[in-house]
Amino acid sequence: MANQLGKRYRCGDCGMEVLCTKAGGGGVSCHGKEMEVQEPRPIPSSD
Amino acid sequence: MATKVGTRYMCTVCNSEFIVTRAGEGELMCCNKPMEIKAGGK
């Protein structure tokens, strides 16, 4: 699965996290496993 | 080799780039190849 710009990826084994700063066709992996795409964190609402 | 926060990695195959936001012991791979550390341009 391609790397998407701005998405954060996390490795389940060592807990390393990376932020994609340039999209690309390959899928980033760590410890031989595809890293998980992190969900965007909700911004605390101010209303 | 462990990664350090702030290190920029680049894949030579698909040109995708990453910044490490949290350090870890693993080695970053992309397109089944170890990613290269991008020389600090600033």
Side-chain angles (χ1 to χ4, degrees):
Chain A
M1 221 248 310
N3 300 323
Q4 291 152 26
L5 177 62
K7 289 284 183 199
R8 289 174 302 130
Y9 293 87
R10 190 172 178 286
C11 170
D13 286 7
C14 63
M16 175 172 28
E17 279 180 23
V18 288
L19 169 65
C20 180
T21 54
K22 193 173 181 187
V28 67
S29 58
C30 174
H31 282 92
K33 278 201 318 247
E34 196 87 12
M35 292 171 86
E36 301 141 24
V37 189
Q38 296 287 96
E39 289 311 312
R41 283 195 287 255
I43 303 169
S45 70
S46 54
D47 49 4
Chain B
M1 191 190 69
T3 59
K4 278 204 322 233
V5 176
T7 322
R8 288 178 299 167
Y9 283 87
M10 190 175 63
C11 172
T12 49
V13 178
C14 67
N15 288 329
S16 55
E17 286 175 18
F18 289 90
I19 291 184
V20 176
T21 52
R22 183 183 283 217
E25 277 77 29
E27 199 192 342
L28 269 175
M29 308 277 286
C30 183
C31 304
N32 299 322
K33 254 183 66 181
M35 295 180 78
E36 271 166 36
I37 295 182
K38 199 172 172 217
K42 283 182 277 304

